[in-house]
Amino acid sequence: RGIGIVTRRPLVLQLVQQPAGSQMGADAADAGVAGRSGGGSGGGSGGGGGDEWGEFLHLPDQKFFDFDQICEEIKRETDRVTGKNKGISRKPINLKIFSPAVLN
């Protein structure tokens, strides 16, 4: 048990250093992308201004620029596999975080 986000599935987190103003981040910021791109529901304020985003393996071609949306997607994906009760699963959630503020 814990405070904040607690997963009932393993979370495989990969940190990727992405230089500030990189091509991918700059394109997303120029396009006015916030929340999720690539379809689906979403929105919200762009938490990283285009320089920071997350990608889930189970949602190819979608980028999450709002870290509150990343937390919500972890909850949704956990509930999808384990149900809304207190079930757990060994199947991991794979998340990549791209940011100039992390080390490879």
Side-chain angles (χ1 to χ4, degrees), residues 2 25 38 55 71 81 86 96 104:
E55 297 177 0
C71 291
V81 171
K86 296 188 181 201
K96 280 187 181 181
N104 282 335

Side-chain angles (χ1 to χ4, degrees), residues 81-92:
V81 171
T82 63
K84 295 208 181 264
N85 58 14
K86 296 188 181 201
I88 61 172
S89 172
R90 292 178 186 228
K91 183 178 178 184

